Amino acid sequence: MNHKKIIAFNWKMNPGSLKQARALLNVANHAGLKSKNSRVVVFPPFEYVFSYDFWGHAAKITKGAQDCFWQARGPYTGQISPRSLKQAGISWVIIGHSEKRIHGNETNLQIAKKLKTAVRTGLQPLLCLGDDAFSHKQGIIRTKQCIRKQLHESLSLLSSADIKEIVFVYEPIWAISAVSHGKTDDPVHAARMVSYLKELLVKEFRFPDSRVLYGGSVNAKTVSKFLGFDDINGFLVGAASLKPDQVSGIIRAIENNS
Ligand code: 13P
């Protein structure tokens, strides 16, 4: 199946002001408007997610949130209601990002609960899976085992119909710019892991046309190295998504390659 490439910009806790956030959104929107072959999804921090002043009329942008809770609503202090996200016009949600797993002690079971509620609330989940540096150093067999375990446990509460609603991301933790200082995964290795995930989804979940993105220090310069691999359906981008020239460069590179 020939899908548009998904360009998912994860802003994490940035930028620091509404003015900067709107300027960045405008850059992504303008670059996106010139692109026929990509779908641009922006995941801002929560202070902007619920702000109409922030989103305005960015016609090319799909609205995302960086997390949600596993109950649709209720007495859960500090949690984000998936139903409120949906009502606010948010359509995508990141679930299982390694920074939530590490700093929020999030488990695969909690991720499974979040996925189930997100799908059933009508949100499009983006499930992040990734190996740590220790598993990576032990080689490809260990890396695959690690990803397979995360995948099975994260999908443990979902029906096969639910699973078909998910978009997946292979995002090795050791390649994220916050820890790798910009060192990207080798595109051949990244593509091999993306293909492995797709194979697992076919063989073990009867899901033949899954979409799997790659994430980890992708920027306007490195993105073209990954574009030669058809199995990679797009990118989850962190640090580079905060720089206007990088944002337009990434979108342009994908357009030129299509
Ligand atoms: P970087 O692109 O900064 O490595 O971040 C990747 C990431 O964590 C996206 O969710």
Short mmCIF file of all heavy atoms in Angstrom, two decimals, residues 193-249:
data_model
loop_
_atom_site.label_atom_id
_atom_site.label_comp_id
_atom_site.label_asym_id
_atom_site.label_seq_id
_atom_site.Cartn_x
_atom_site.Cartn_y
_atom_site.Cartn_z
N MET A 193 15.58 -3.07 11.27
CA MET A 193 14.70 -3.18 12.44
C MET A 193 13.25 -2.81 12.09
O MET A 193 12.31 -3.42 12.58
CB MET A 193 15.22 -2.29 13.58
CG MET A 193 16.50 -2.82 14.23
SD MET A 193 16.34 -4.54 14.81
CE MET A 193 15.05 -4.37 16.04
N VAL A 194 13.10 -1.81 11.23
CA VAL A 194 11.74 -1.45 10.78
C VAL A 194 11.11 -2.63 10.04
O VAL A 194 9.96 -3.00 10.27
CB VAL A 194 11.79 -0.18 9.89
CG1 VAL A 194 10.49 0.03 9.13
CG2 VAL A 194 12.10 1.05 10.75
N SER A 195 11.90 -3.26 9.16
CA SER A 195 11.38 -4.42 8.40
C SER A 195 11.08 -5.58 9.35
O SER A 195 10.08 -6.28 9.17
CB SER A 195 12.40 -4.88 7.35
OG SER A 195 12.67 -3.81 6.50
N TYR A 196 11.93 -5.75 10.35
CA TYR A 196 11.69 -6.81 11.33
C TYR A 196 10.35 -6.58 12.05
O TYR A 196 9.55 -7.51 12.23
CB TYR A 196 12.86 -6.85 12.32
CG TYR A 196 12.62 -7.80 13.48
CD1 TYR A 196 12.56 -9.17 13.28
CD2 TYR A 196 12.45 -7.30 14.78
CE1 TYR A 196 12.31 -10.03 14.35
CE2 TYR A 196 12.21 -8.16 15.84
CZ TYR A 196 12.15 -9.52 15.62
OH TYR A 196 11.90 -10.38 16.67
N LEU A 197 10.12 -5.36 12.45
CA LEU A 197 8.84 -5.03 13.13
C LEU A 197 7.65 -5.33 12.23
O LEU A 197 6.64 -5.90 12.66
CB LEU A 197 8.83 -3.54 13.45
CG LEU A 197 8.85 -3.14 14.91
CD1 LEU A 197 9.01 -1.65 15.04
CD2 LEU A 197 7.59 -3.59 15.61
N LYS A 198 7.79 -4.98 10.96
CA LYS A 198 6.71 -5.25 10.01
C LYS A 198 6.48 -6.76 9.86
O LYS A 198 5.35 -7.21 9.78
CB LYS A 198 7.02 -4.62 8.65
CG LYS A 198 6.92 -3.11 8.67
CD LYS A 198 6.94 -2.52 7.29
CE LYS A 198 6.55 -1.05 7.39
NZ LYS A 198 6.36 -0.39 6.13
N GLU A 199 7.59 -7.50 9.80
CA GLU A 199 7.47 -8.97 9.69
C GLU A 199 6.75 -9.55 10.90
O GLU A 199 5.88 -10.41 10.78
CB GLU A 199 8.87 -9.59 9.68
CG GLU A 199 9.52 -9.74 8.33
CD GLU A 199 11.00 -10.04 8.54
OE1 GLU A 199 11.35 -10.90 9.40
OE2 GLU A 199 11.79 -9.36 7.87
N LEU A 200 7.13 -9.06 12.08
CA LEU A 200 6.49 -9.54 13.31
C LEU A 200 4.99 -9.25 13.28
O LEU A 200 4.17 -10.08 13.66
CB LEU A 200 7.06 -8.82 14.54
CG LEU A 200 8.40 -9.24 15.09
CD1 LEU A 200 8.73 -8.37 16.30
CD2 LEU A 200 8.37 -10.70 15.50
N LEU A 201 4.67 -8.05 12.80
CA LEU A 201 3.24 -7.67 12.77
C LEU A 201 2.47 -8.55 11.79
O LEU A 201 1.33 -8.92 12.06
CB LEU A 201 3.10 -6.18 12.41
CG LEU A 201 3.51 -5.26 13.57
CD1 LEU A 201 3.83 -3.85 13.10
CD2 LEU A 201 2.40 -5.21 14.63
N VAL A 202 3.11 -8.95 10.71
CA VAL A 202 2.43 -9.86 9.76
C VAL A 202 2.30 -11.25 10.39
O VAL A 202 1.21 -11.82 10.46
CB VAL A 202 3.23 -9.97 8.44
CG1 VAL A 202 2.61 -11.03 7.52
CG2 VAL A 202 3.27 -8.63 7.73
N LYS A 203 3.43 -11.79 10.85
CA LYS A 203 3.45 -13.20 11.28
C LYS A 203 2.73 -13.42 12.60
O LYS A 203 2.08 -14.43 12.79
CB LYS A 203 4.91 -13.67 11.45
CG LYS A 203 5.62 -13.88 10.14
CD LYS A 203 6.95 -14.58 10.38
CE LYS A 203 7.83 -14.53 9.14
NZ LYS A 203 9.23 -14.34 9.45
N GLU A 204 2.86 -12.49 13.51
CA GLU A 204 2.36 -12.75 14.86
C GLU A 204 1.08 -11.99 15.20
O GLU A 204 0.44 -12.27 16.20
CB GLU A 204 3.47 -12.47 15.87
CG GLU A 204 4.68 -13.38 15.57
CD GLU A 204 5.86 -13.22 16.52
OE1 GLU A 204 5.72 -12.56 17.55
OE2 GLU A 204 6.94 -13.76 16.20
N PHE A 205 0.72 -11.02 14.34
CA PHE A 205 -0.51 -10.25 14.63
C PHE A 205 -1.43 -10.15 13.39
O PHE A 205 -2.41 -9.41 13.43
CB PHE A 205 -0.15 -8.84 15.12
CG PHE A 205 0.60 -8.86 16.43
CD1 PHE A 205 1.99 -8.89 16.45
CD2 PHE A 205 -0.08 -8.88 17.63
CE1 PHE A 205 2.68 -8.93 17.65
CE2 PHE A 205 0.61 -8.91 18.84
CZ PHE A 205 1.99 -8.94 18.85
N ARG A 206 -1.06 -10.85 12.33
CA ARG A 206 -1.86 -10.84 11.08
C ARG A 206 -2.20 -9.41 10.64
O ARG A 206 -3.35 -9.08 10.37
CB ARG A 206 -3.12 -11.70 11.24
CG ARG A 206 -2.80 -13.17 11.47
CD ARG A 206 -4.03 -14.04 11.35
NE ARG A 206 -5.13 -13.63 12.21
CZ ARG A 206 -5.21 -13.91 13.51
NH1 ARG A 206 -4.25 -14.59 14.11
NH2 ARG A 206 -6.24 -13.50 14.22
N PHE A 207 -1.17 -8.58 10.63
CA PHE A 207 -1.34 -7.17 10.25
C PHE A 207 -0.39 -6.88 9.08
O PHE A 207 0.78 -6.55 9.28
CB PHE A 207 -1.03 -6.30 11.47
CG PHE A 207 -1.23 -4.81 11.26
CD1 PHE A 207 -1.85 -4.29 10.13
CD2 PHE A 207 -0.82 -3.91 12.24
CE1 PHE A 207 -2.02 -2.93 9.96
CE2 PHE A 207 -0.98 -2.55 12.09
CZ PHE A 207 -1.58 -2.07 10.93
N PRO A 208 -0.87 -7.04 7.84
CA PRO A 208 0.01 -6.99 6.68
C PRO A 208 0.44 -5.59 6.23
O PRO A 208 1.50 -5.45 5.65
CB PRO A 208 -0.80 -7.67 5.58
CG PRO A 208 -2.22 -7.51 5.99
CD PRO A 208 -2.24 -7.38 7.49
N ASP A 209 -0.37 -4.55 6.44
CA ASP A 209 0.12 -3.27 5.89
C ASP A 209 0.32 -2.22 6.98
O ASP A 209 -0.21 -1.12 6.91
CB ASP A 209 -0.76 -2.72 4.76
CG ASP A 209 -2.16 -3.24 4.83
OD1 ASP A 209 -2.89 -2.82 5.75
OD2 ASP A 209 -2.50 -4.08 4.01
N SER A 210 1.13 -2.60 7.95
CA SER A 210 1.42 -1.68 9.04
C SER A 210 2.30 -0.53 8.52
O SER A 210 2.99 -0.67 7.51
CB SER A 210 2.17 -2.41 10.16
OG SER A 210 3.38 -2.91 9.66
N ARG A 211 2.28 0.56 9.27
CA ARG A 211 3.17 1.68 8.97
C ARG A 211 4.15 1.83 10.14
O ARG A 211 3.72 1.86 11.30
CB ARG A 211 2.38 2.96 8.78
CG ARG A 211 1.67 2.98 7.44
CD ARG A 211 0.77 4.16 7.28
NE ARG A 211 -0.38 4.07 8.16
CZ ARG A 211 -1.22 5.09 8.41
NH1 ARG A 211 -0.99 6.27 7.88
NH2 ARG A 211 -2.24 4.93 9.20
N VAL A 212 5.45 1.89 9.80
CA VAL A 212 6.48 1.99 10.83
C VAL A 212 7.40 3.16 10.49
O VAL A 212 7.94 3.23 9.38
CB VAL A 212 7.29 0.68 10.97
CG1 VAL A 212 8.32 0.82 12.08
CG2 VAL A 212 6.38 -0.52 11.23
N LEU A 213 7.56 4.07 11.44
CA LEU A 213 8.45 5.22 11.26
C LEU A 213 9.79 4.93 11.93
O LEU A 213 9.91 4.01 12.73
CB LEU A 213 7.84 6.48 11.90
CG LEU A 213 6.35 6.77 11.72
CD1 LEU A 213 6.04 8.17 12.30
CD2 LEU A 213 5.91 6.67 10.30
N TYR A 214 10.77 5.77 11.60
CA TYR A 214 12.05 5.71 12.31
C TYR A 214 12.25 7.02 13.07
O TYR A 214 11.92 8.11 12.56
CB TYR A 214 13.23 5.50 11.33
CG TYR A 214 14.53 5.67 12.07
CD1 TYR A 214 14.94 4.71 12.98
CD2 TYR A 214 15.29 6.83 11.94
CE1 TYR A 214 16.09 4.89 13.74
CE2 TYR A 214 16.45 7.02 12.69
CZ TYR A 214 16.84 6.04 13.59
OH TYR A 214 17.96 6.23 14.35
N GLY A 215 12.78 6.93 14.28
CA GLY A 215 13.10 8.12 15.06
C GLY A 215 14.46 7.98 15.71
O GLY A 215 14.88 6.88 16.09
N GLY A 216 15.17 9.10 15.86
CA GLY A 216 16.49 9.11 16.51
C GLY A 216 17.43 10.01 15.77
O GLY A 216 18.05 9.59 14.78
N SER A 217 17.52 11.29 16.20
CA SER A 217 18.46 12.27 15.62
C SER A 217 18.29 12.50 14.13
O SER A 217 19.27 12.84 13.45
CB SER A 217 19.91 11.87 15.92
OG SER A 217 20.13 11.78 17.29
N VAL A 218 17.09 12.33 13.62
CA VAL A 218 16.88 12.61 12.20
C VAL A 218 16.91 14.12 12.00
O VAL A 218 16.33 14.88 12.79
CB VAL A 218 15.51 12.04 11.73
CG1 VAL A 218 15.21 12.47 10.30
CG2 VAL A 218 15.50 10.53 11.87
N ASN A 219 17.58 14.57 10.94
CA ASN A 219 17.58 16.00 10.62
C ASN A 219 17.58 16.17 9.10
O ASN A 219 17.55 15.17 8.36
CB ASN A 219 18.75 16.73 11.29
CG ASN A 219 20.09 16.18 10.86
OD1 ASN A 219 20.31 15.89 9.68
ND2 ASN A 219 21.00 16.03 11.81
N ALA A 220 17.65 17.43 8.65
CA ALA A 220 17.51 17.70 7.21
C ALA A 220 18.64 17.06 6.41
O ALA A 220 18.48 16.75 5.23
CB ALA A 220 17.47 19.20 6.98
N LYS A 221 19.80 16.87 7.05
CA LYS A 221 20.94 16.29 6.35
C LYS A 221 20.85 14.76 6.31
O LYS A 221 21.13 14.14 5.30
CB LYS A 221 22.21 16.71 7.10
CG LYS A 221 23.38 16.98 6.20
CD LYS A 221 24.42 17.73 6.98
CE LYS A 221 25.80 17.43 6.46
NZ LYS A 221 26.80 18.03 7.33
N THR A 222 20.46 14.18 7.45
CA THR A 222 20.50 12.70 7.54
C THR A 222 19.25 12.05 6.94
O THR A 222 19.30 10.87 6.58
CB THR A 222 20.63 12.24 9.00
OG1 THR A 222 19.53 12.76 9.76
CG2 THR A 222 21.94 12.68 9.62
N VAL A 223 18.15 12.79 6.82
CA VAL A 223 16.88 12.15 6.44
C VAL A 223 16.98 11.43 5.10
O VAL A 223 16.42 10.34 4.93
CB VAL A 223 15.71 13.17 6.49
CG1 VAL A 223 15.79 14.20 5.40
CG2 VAL A 223 14.37 12.46 6.45
N SER A 224 17.75 12.02 4.16
CA SER A 224 17.78 11.41 2.82
C SER A 224 18.42 10.01 2.85
O SER A 224 18.10 9.18 2.01
CB SER A 224 18.50 12.32 1.83
OG SER A 224 19.66 12.78 2.41
N LYS A 225 19.29 9.75 3.85
CA LYS A 225 19.92 8.43 3.93
C LYS A 225 18.89 7.34 4.24
O LYS A 225 19.10 6.18 3.94
CB LYS A 225 21.00 8.42 5.01
CG LYS A 225 22.13 9.36 4.74
CD LYS A 225 23.20 9.21 5.82
CE LYS A 225 24.19 10.36 5.73
NZ LYS A 225 24.87 10.58 6.99
N PHE A 226 17.82 7.74 4.90
CA PHE A 226 16.80 6.75 5.28
C PHE A 226 15.74 6.60 4.19
O PHE A 226 14.96 5.66 4.21
CB PHE A 226 16.11 7.18 6.58
CG PHE A 226 17.04 7.19 7.77
CD1 PHE A 226 17.76 8.32 8.10
CD2 PHE A 226 17.20 6.05 8.55
CE1 PHE A 226 18.62 8.33 9.18
CE2 PHE A 226 18.06 6.05 9.63
CZ PHE A 226 18.77 7.20 9.94
N LEU A 227 15.71 7.58 3.29
CA LEU A 227 14.60 7.61 2.33
C LEU A 227 14.72 6.53 1.25
O LEU A 227 13.76 6.25 0.55
CB LEU A 227 14.50 9.00 1.68
CG LEU A 227 13.93 10.06 2.62
CD1 LEU A 227 14.12 11.46 2.05
CD2 LEU A 227 12.45 9.81 2.89
N GLY A 228 15.90 5.93 1.14
CA GLY A 228 16.06 4.85 0.16
C GLY A 228 15.40 3.55 0.60
O GLY A 228 15.33 2.60 -0.18
N PHE A 229 14.91 3.50 1.82
CA PHE A 229 14.34 2.25 2.34
C PHE A 229 12.82 2.37 2.37
O PHE A 229 12.26 3.08 3.22
CB PHE A 229 14.90 1.94 3.73
CG PHE A 229 16.38 1.76 3.73
CD1 PHE A 229 17.24 2.82 3.99
CD2 PHE A 229 16.94 0.52 3.43
CE1 PHE A 229 18.61 2.67 3.97
CE2 PHE A 229 18.32 0.35 3.40
CZ PHE A 229 19.16 1.43 3.67
N ASP A 230 12.18 1.66 1.46
CA ASP A 230 10.72 1.82 1.31
C ASP A 230 9.94 1.42 2.55
O ASP A 230 8.83 1.91 2.77
CB ASP A 230 10.21 0.98 0.13
CG ASP A 230 10.59 1.64 -1.19
OD1 ASP A 230 10.97 2.83 -1.16
OD2 ASP A 230 10.52 0.95 -2.22
N ASP A 231 10.51 0.51 3.34
CA ASP A 231 9.77 0.06 4.53
C ASP A 231 9.62 1.18 5.57
O ASP A 231 8.72 1.13 6.41
CB ASP A 231 10.48 -1.14 5.19
CG ASP A 231 9.93 -2.46 4.67
OD1 ASP A 231 8.93 -2.43 3.91
OD2 ASP A 231 10.49 -3.52 5.02
N ILE A 232 10.49 2.17 5.53
CA ILE A 232 10.39 3.27 6.50
C ILE A 232 9.31 4.25 6.02
O ILE A 232 9.47 4.90 4.99
CB ILE A 232 11.76 3.99 6.68
CG1 ILE A 232 12.81 2.98 7.19
CG2 ILE A 232 11.63 5.17 7.65
CD1 ILE A 232 14.21 3.57 7.38
N ASN A 233 8.24 4.31 6.75
CA ASN A 233 7.07 5.09 6.31
C ASN A 233 7.08 6.54 6.78
O ASN A 233 6.08 7.26 6.56
CB ASN A 233 5.78 4.42 6.77
CG ASN A 233 5.63 3.02 6.21
OD1 ASN A 233 5.64 2.04 6.93
ND2 ASN A 233 5.52 2.92 4.90
N GLY A 234 8.14 6.95 7.43
CA GLY A 234 8.21 8.34 7.88
C GLY A 234 9.14 8.45 9.08
O GLY A 234 9.89 7.51 9.39
N PHE A 235 9.07 9.59 9.76
CA PHE A 235 10.06 9.89 10.79
C PHE A 235 9.43 10.58 11.99
O PHE A 235 8.52 11.40 11.84
CB PHE A 235 11.14 10.82 10.19
CG PHE A 235 11.77 10.20 8.98
CD1 PHE A 235 11.29 10.49 7.70
CD2 PHE A 235 12.79 9.27 9.11
CE1 PHE A 235 11.83 9.88 6.57
CE2 PHE A 235 13.34 8.65 7.98
CZ PHE A 235 12.86 8.95 6.72
N LEU A 236 9.94 10.23 13.16
CA LEU A 236 9.59 10.95 14.38
C LEU A 236 10.82 11.79 14.74
O LEU A 236 11.90 11.24 14.99
CB LEU A 236 9.23 9.97 15.50
CG LEU A 236 8.82 10.59 16.84
CD1 LEU A 236 7.63 11.52 16.71
CD2 LEU A 236 8.48 9.48 17.86
N VAL A 237 10.65 13.10 14.75
CA VAL A 237 11.80 14.01 14.84
C VAL A 237 11.69 14.84 16.11
O VAL A 237 10.64 15.45 16.38
CB VAL A 237 11.83 14.96 13.62
CG1 VAL A 237 13.06 15.86 13.67
CG2 VAL A 237 11.79 14.17 12.32
N GLY A 238 12.78 14.89 16.89
CA GLY A 238 12.79 15.68 18.12
C GLY A 238 13.52 17.01 17.91
O GLY A 238 12.95 17.98 17.41
N ALA A 239 14.81 17.04 18.26
CA ALA A 239 15.56 18.31 18.30
C ALA A 239 15.46 19.11 17.00
O ALA A 239 15.27 20.34 17.02
CB ALA A 239 17.02 18.02 18.63
N ALA A 240 15.57 18.44 15.86
CA ALA A 240 15.56 19.18 14.59
C ALA A 240 14.20 19.84 14.33
O ALA A 240 14.11 20.81 13.57
CB ALA A 240 15.91 18.25 13.43
N SER A 241 13.15 19.35 14.97
CA SER A 241 11.82 19.92 14.74
C SER A 241 11.67 21.29 15.40
O SER A 241 10.66 21.97 15.21
CB SER A 241 10.73 18.98 15.23
OG SER A 241 10.68 18.93 16.64
N LEU A 242 12.69 21.73 16.14
CA LEU A 242 12.64 23.04 16.81
C LEU A 242 13.38 24.11 16.01
O LEU A 242 13.45 25.26 16.43
CB LEU A 242 13.25 22.92 18.21
CG LEU A 242 12.54 21.92 19.12
CD1 LEU A 242 13.33 21.70 20.40
CD2 LEU A 242 11.13 22.40 19.44
N LYS A 243 13.97 23.70 14.88
CA LYS A 243 14.75 24.67 14.08
C LYS A 243 14.06 24.87 12.73
O LYS A 243 13.95 23.91 11.95
CB LYS A 243 16.16 24.13 13.87
CG LYS A 243 16.90 23.93 15.17
CD LYS A 243 18.33 23.50 14.93
CE LYS A 243 19.03 23.26 16.24
NZ LYS A 243 19.66 21.97 16.37
N PRO A 244 13.62 26.11 12.45
CA PRO A 244 12.86 26.35 11.23
C PRO A 244 13.53 25.82 9.96
O PRO A 244 12.87 25.21 9.12
CB PRO A 244 12.73 27.88 11.19
CG PRO A 244 12.82 28.29 12.62
CD PRO A 244 13.74 27.32 13.29
N ASP A 245 14.85 26.04 9.81
CA ASP A 245 15.49 25.57 8.57
C ASP A 245 15.50 24.05 8.48
O ASP A 245 15.38 23.46 7.42
CB ASP A 245 16.92 26.15 8.44
CG ASP A 245 17.78 25.80 9.64
OD1 ASP A 245 17.23 25.65 10.76
OD2 ASP A 245 19.00 25.65 9.48
N GLN A 246 15.59 23.40 9.63
CA GLN A 246 15.56 21.93 9.65
C GLN A 246 14.17 21.42 9.29
O GLN A 246 14.03 20.45 8.55
CB GLN A 246 15.95 21.42 11.04
CG GLN A 246 17.40 21.67 11.39
CD GLN A 246 18.32 20.71 10.65
OE1 GLN A 246 17.98 19.57 10.38
NE2 GLN A 246 19.49 21.20 10.28
N VAL A 247 13.17 22.09 9.83
CA VAL A 247 11.78 21.67 9.57
C VAL A 247 11.50 21.73 8.07
O VAL A 247 11.05 20.75 7.46
CB VAL A 247 10.80 22.58 10.35
CG1 VAL A 247 9.37 22.37 9.90
CG2 VAL A 247 10.93 22.32 11.85
N SER A 248 11.80 22.88 7.45
CA SER A 248 11.52 22.95 6.02
C SER A 248 12.45 22.05 5.23
O SER A 248 12.03 21.44 4.24
CB SER A 248 11.53 24.39 5.50
OG SER A 248 12.51 25.12 6.13
N GLY A 249 13.70 21.89 5.70
CA GLY A 249 14.65 21.01 5.00
C GLY A 249 14.20 19.55 5.00
O GLY A 249 14.31 18.85 3.99
#
